[in-house]
Amino acid sequence: MNCKRILAVTTREWRGMVRDRLFFAMAFIVPTVLMLTFGYGLSLDVEHSPFAALDYDRTPISRDYLNRFIDSPSFNFKGFLKSERDIYPLLASGKVRAVMIIPAHFQERLLAGRPTAVQTLIDGTFPFRAQTVKGYVIGINNSFNMGEFSRYLSRTAGMTPDRALSYLWPIKTEVRCLYNQNLRSDWSLAPRLMMMVLMICPPFLSAMGVVREKETGAIYNIYSSTITRGEYLIGKLAPYVAVSIFNAGVLWLIATKVFGAPFRGNPLFFFAASILYVICTTGIGLIVSVLVATQVAAALVTFIVTVVPTVFYSGIFVPIGSLGEGGRIVARLLPAMYYTNIVTGCFLKGVGFRVLWSDVVVLAVYSVSLFAIGYLQFHKRPES
Amino acid sequence: MVDGFCKPAPQGESPVVRLRALTKTYGREPAVCGVDMDIYPGEIFGLIGPDGAGKSSIMKAIAGVMTFDGGTLNVFETRIDSEKSAERIKDRIGFMPQGLGQNLYPDLSVDENIDFFARSRLVSPKEAEKRKRLLLEMTRLAPFSSRPMKNLSGGMKQKLGLVCTLIHEPGLVILDEPTTGLDPVSRRDFWTILSVLLREKNITALVSTAYMDEASRFHRLSLFYGGRVLAHGSPEEIMAAVPGALVSFRTERQSEALSGLKARFSDVQARGSWLRVFVKGAGEKDAARQVQEAAAAAGEDIVELRAGAAELEDIFIALLREKKLTEESSHSVFTLSESDSIYREEPGDDGADIEAENLVKDFGNFRAVDGVSFRVEKGEIFGLLGANGAGKSTVIKMLVGLLPPSAGTGYVAGHGMLQAPRAIRERIGYMSQVFSLYRDLTVIENISLYAGIYGLDRRQSRERAGWILEMAELAGHENRQTEGLPMGVRQRLALGCALVHSPRILFLDEPTSGVDPLGRRRFWDILFRLSRRERVTILITTHYMSEAEHCDHLALMYGGKVIADASPGAMKRELATEAGELLEVDADDPLPAMSGLQEAGFEGVSIHGRQIRLLTRDREAAERRIREVLAERGTRIVAISEQPLSMEDVFVYRVMAMERNGRQRP
């Protein structure tokens, strides 16, 4: 190992990366853009769903009933409709996601102690969202029913409404979600996105960086010189690892400051684990670069080996536990899942090395193996 | 032929490179088939051959950057048989791969590029700085030291590549086609610098080229074809390998004379208005007599006749024939009679078929084409000659309506290119550099596809396919997939496809790039017949100076401008009256001799291996002066002889003259 030669390669690589527009963008702009677009675009919370109402009754009780919805943060009231003909165009154009129709004689029937029905039409194009909206509707409706019943009891049995309510609802559920009390999806998504961006960007940089030299012929400068394989690989990849570490810091800032995710773990431990992770993902790029000869092929292969498994097998959208048997095995074979454990542990759970040590060990084994394979497969005297 | 001084291969010294029975195969494709070679210290050793001859594979094997399959290789007396053993010689080797500046780093400045090579080779900073200053000065790159490499011209890139390869003062440099695509001025410059540098540091060089006319630059060389050595030795020895003489003559009925002589001589070729015949095994006088007899027997009157030495390309082709490496026997000479011609003369349309008027094209701040004007007469072969980046393709693209001009206009087939691009496109055939063929289709499918694109009906399409197969000599290849065809056949197919709609005007953009000399010759034969028999007007671009002689009329392009416009003969005559004749001085120690002659004020001084060439108007006086100058320096003169002027000489002289004029203007 000769440090001067490593430094020569690193300096050249750094200059090339900073001055080439495409590489500069890939190194410094793409990770941030990916993080922001995915972060804003993928928020899974269903809030402020736009809805409208058609009230045939127009009585104090019907208004009272609708106000429960209008005041709820889950809904965004768009206004009263005049006739049934207005409903479908509104739903079809996506201007509202739900419409509530209150029949005539609503108050009259309730006061007479007879049941009545309120029809709700929900836009079902996204089943997940429709389910959530339906849940909100049922919940608000239940609480209205309970209120009505407790008022009836207090009138007829002479109890206070509170007491009537405790008879009606003897067991209350007390659910408290740990780590993410409000179940805010951006809190859990932002750290995982960090995992995804750092899975995709470093391999692209390193694979394209090495293959570009193969494509132009500049690699022959290395082949024909006295630089050793190890010196070249270290010198070549060091700038990419450095940039990726810098990016890890930027992404952490975006996750905590822009998306407001809490960070409860030990920053030092997290930083060290992240370095290990980007070394590992940079190694994936190195393996790709050994296998292919053109930049187009490098981009394609890198995309396939990083993006696809990360979306399905990293636990970013689907928890590993909900995958099938095969999926769980695949997930365990890929590095992304282990870093997902580390990010969620550090951001939300506030746990550290004592809990996450096994994930760190796996990432270390990964990094060492990838670089060893890359080193053994890289030859200065190839067959063609 | 001059009895040139030829240093015998030094016997006492052990060779720097010793190659025995080297073979290399890519998959199932053999690239090198048993090559022997010895390169001695201090030599400039050349590998000459067309693309795919195996030159690059051999050079990479010697540089230790690629494995080989069989044979033995010793470099600096080290046996190279593994990655480990190859590492042992790399400190003494400099390797520059193929491609203009491709191994350099575009975003780094000239300085930074050199620094990287110096540091990666562990040259101490002080020493590196010293060498860098010296090399930059010699290559005249010093003023551009902080310019990013991507903004250099082709010639400058190659010089920078050379500096980077030499910065660690290797004992052996391996340069893979360093001059391909460069303009002749840069090429000459490159060779001079290389000769001086190698001599100063006593460096041995292995250099490859696809230009046959660069043979004189080497001390010794190997001629390659299909992974085999056809001949090796000094340029003189190779020329002597196939004794014979070249006879050129003009007649009234050129194309009839051509077919007449083909029966008698194996190597007859039309070049512009001349016919040239290589007569094997004959002296100049005897050869001339044989040709005169043959012409008389065919009933042709000879207008003008010259006999002289052959060119390396003639030798190359003769060697291929001797070794039975050609598949030419089936070579039918266009049996279509005049009445078959689909090209009917349109009455009253003689005069210019193509006209460019002050064409200008700007790409951003860069003016690629700068006020280009020329006229191409009907039925003429017109050549646009220039280096890569001179603006040739841009001119063609503007004329055929693929690219709007920034200023100026042009006329093709009587239509304004600005007003009627569609009418023009219907009347022309265009063959681009990349042969726009569909590689997954067969030959006949490609032809049918183009027939369909041009709206031919089934009957016409069948007729044209037959004509194209015959014209382009594609019989036997009809149902083969284009992918697997040799370059030369693909080239002829592309030409056929460009002619599918019977255009009267043909635009050919570097159609011969990368095709071997035999393929090029065959292609020119076809172009000649198209021009003479079918009266097709042809505009062709090329960076092979030697191909210029095939054209009836030439325009030399340099830096986006036309710097000369005349017939090849007229250009040479003009040069002869302006600058005189070309003298070749064969001297013991050519490098100091060259600088001496430059200082003495001679024009066009350049070094070719062991010889120096220069231009002079008064031969007697010049010879006296040369002897004086060289005697002062103690250099022995072996011989002084006259050489024919080449297109390269014309090009270099015109560029120099233009640059001198440019400098005189304020």
Side-chain angles (χ1 to χ4, degrees), chain A residues 45-53 65-79 91 95-100 120-123 129-141:
Chain A
D45 293 331
V46 183
E47 280 181 335
H48 311 295
S49 297
F51 88 107
Y65 180 80
L66 280 175
N67 275 336
R68 303 289 179 100
F69 291 89
I70 293 167
D71 296 340
S72 159
S74 304
F75 290 100
N76 175 12
F77 182 59
K78 290 290 182 188
L91 279 170
K95 284 189 182 119
V96 300
R97 266 182 230 142
V99 176
M100 243 155 267
T120 309
L121 300 168
I122 301 175
D123 171 359
R129 204 171 60 192
Q131 281 291 354
T132 314
V133 172
K134 187 177 162 192
Y136 291 150
V137 172
I138 291 170
I140 293 171
N141 188 57

Side-chain angles (χ1 to χ4, degrees), chain B residues 106-123:
Chain B
D107 294 302
L108 266 56
S109 69
V110 169
D111 250 345
E112 287 167 339
N113 264 292
I114 302 172
D115 288 345
F116 168 68
F117 280 83
R119 290 171 66 196
S120 72
R121 294 290 194 161
L122 300 180
V123 182

Side-chain angles (χ1 to χ4, degrees), chain B residues 332-479:
Chain B
S332 68
V333 185
F334 223 178
T335 46
L336 300 176
S337 68
E338 298 288 327
S339 59
D340 287 339
S341 174
I342 33 70
Y343 294 93
R344 304 263 175 269
E345 287 284 328
E346 285 169 34
D349 70 337
D350 33 35
D353 250 350
I354 306 170
E355 252 186 293
E357 277 178 14
N358 245 323
L359 280 176
V360 175
K361 182 68 195 178
D362 293 319
F363 294 111
N365 291 326
F366 174 63
R367 182 153 285 192
V369 173
D370 191 0
V372 164
S373 304
F374 56 78
R375 271 169 71 90
V376 183
E377 306 296 328
K378 188 165 174 47
E380 187 174 63
I381 302 181
F382 186 94
L384 270 183
L385 192 63
N388 290 351
K392 307 183 302 274
S393 297
T394 312
V395 167
I396 286 201
K397 283 185 183 147
M398 287 193 282
L399 284 170
V400 301
L402 292 175
L403 203 63
S406 306
T409 186
Y411 300 90
V412 177
H415 296 274
M417 70 180 211
L418 299 175
Q419 298 82 30
R422 218 192 135 85
I424 290 177
R425 247 170 275 163
E426 281 166 10
R427 285 164 178 79
I428 61 154
Y430 171 62
M431 176 176 162
S432 76
Q433 275 169 4
V434 288
F435 304 172
S436 350
L437 297 170
Y438 293 84
R439 293 178 163 234
D440 44 357
L441 297 185
T442 64
V443 167
I444 202 82
E445 284 167 347
N446 261 300
I447 298 175
S448 313
L449 173 70
Y450 278 92
I453 290 173
Y454 281 101
L456 271 59
D457 64 34
R458 196 174 271 209
R459 192 185 52 83
Q460 288 171 316
S461 161
R462 219 178 17 247
E463 260 176 37
R464 289 304 290 163
W467 183 87
I468 287 167
L469 289 175
E470 174 127 34
M471 180 280 301
E473 296 163 20
L474 292 168
H477 295 296
E478 293 95 331
N479 295 316

Side-chain angles (χ1 to χ4, degrees), chain A residues 19 221 223 379-380 382-383, chain B residues 24 83 87 90 103 112:
Chain A
R19 291 179 198 171
N221 299 335
Y223 290 167
H379 290 293
K380 286 182 66 188
E383 285 184 5
Chain B
K24 172 74 190 178
E83 189 161 344
E87 287 301 293
K90 286 184 178 166
N103 69 321
E112 287 167 339

